[in-house]
Amino acid sequence: MGSSMLAVVVAVGLFALAQAKQISFTDCGSQNGVIVAVDITPCSSEPCTFKRGQTVAVEVDFMSTLNNSSTAILTAFATIFGDKVPLNLAQPDACKLPGTTCPLLKSTLEKPVEQVVVPSNIPPIFIPIPLQVILTGDSNQNIFCGQVQVKIS
């Protein structure tokens, strides 16, 4: 690889790192797992501000306390003026996402990356609102529930 090509690869990698941010989160009821970290791209400061219709990459690093869960289903929603608004996920089956190996094994770090589409039919919201991501395993057992604060422009 030539030096100019290497410089381009390094620049692209640094840009991607600059657009991702490990953000603060609260646990909203994890029962069979623990969230280690949450990264959102793009997000340069907290609370993250998203545009309506934008696709956002959300990585939730977690460890399950269940062993051999063959299912891992993600759901996400935002609470807007007291109403829970479901968010469209590109792939709700976390077993099919990069960074996840199924069956989930106890105490193994998983790093699924999900694409979340911000609804385009909601009004701009310039105060922080909660966004929750929930993962359920076999027999609909709650593995984790994590919540972050976001704004919608």
Side-chain angles (χ1 to χ4, degrees), residues 7 15 52 54 60 67 69 71 76 78 80 82 87 92-93 97-99 109 113 117 126 145:
F15 178 75
R52 293 173 291 160
Q54 178 181 23
V60 180
N67 204 23
S69 181
T71 57
I80 302 172
L87 302 176
D93 185 348
L97 293 172
L109 182 63
V113 179
V117 177
F126 299 105
C145 178

Side-chain angles (χ1 to χ4, degrees), residues 51-54 78 80 85-88 116-123 131 152-153:
K51 296 177 184 170
R52 293 173 291 160
Q54 178 181 23
I80 302 172
V85 177
L87 302 176
N88 293 324
V116 179
V117 177
V118 179
S120 57
N121 61 340
I122 60 173
L131 173 110
I152 309 295
S153 64

Side-chain angles (χ1 to χ4, degrees), residues 15-145:
F15 178 75
L17 285 174
Q19 296 300 308
K21 179 168 179 55
Q22 191 171 69
I23 63 170
S24 303
F25 66 91
T26 55
D27 186 288
C28 53
S30 299
Q31 296 174 2
N32 294 294
V34 61
I35 297 173
V36 177
V38 176
D39 292 302
I40 297 182
T41 305
C43 181
S44 57
S45 64
E46 291 185 54
C48 300
T49 300
F50 306 134
K51 296 177 184 170
R52 293 173 291 160
Q54 178 181 23
T55 300
V56 178
V58 178
E59 177 182 318
V60 180
D61 301 350
F62 74 96
M63 288 189 288
S64 175
T65 58
L66 297 175
N67 204 23
N68 291 322
S69 181
S70 59
T71 57
I73 304 301
L74 286 164
T75 55
F77 60 89
T79 302
I80 302 172
F81 305 121
D83 292 326
K84 289 187 177 184
V85 177
L87 302 176
N88 293 324
L89 302 178
Q91 176 54 266
D93 185 348
C95 292
K96 296 179 181 176
L97 293 172
T100 308
T101 303
C102 288
L104 299 177
L105 300 176
K106 185 176 182 176
S107 301
T108 300
L109 182 63
E110 303 288 349
K111 298 181 172 195
V113 179
E114 177 62 91
Q115 303 297 313
V116 179
V117 177
V118 179
S120 57
N121 61 340
I122 60 173
I125 303 169
F126 299 105
I127 59 170
I129 60 169
L131 173 110
Q132 289 187 349
V133 178
I134 301 165
L135 181 74
T136 54
D138 291 344
S139 301
N140 208 30
Q141 291 179 300
N142 171 300
I143 296 175
F144 72 69
C145 178

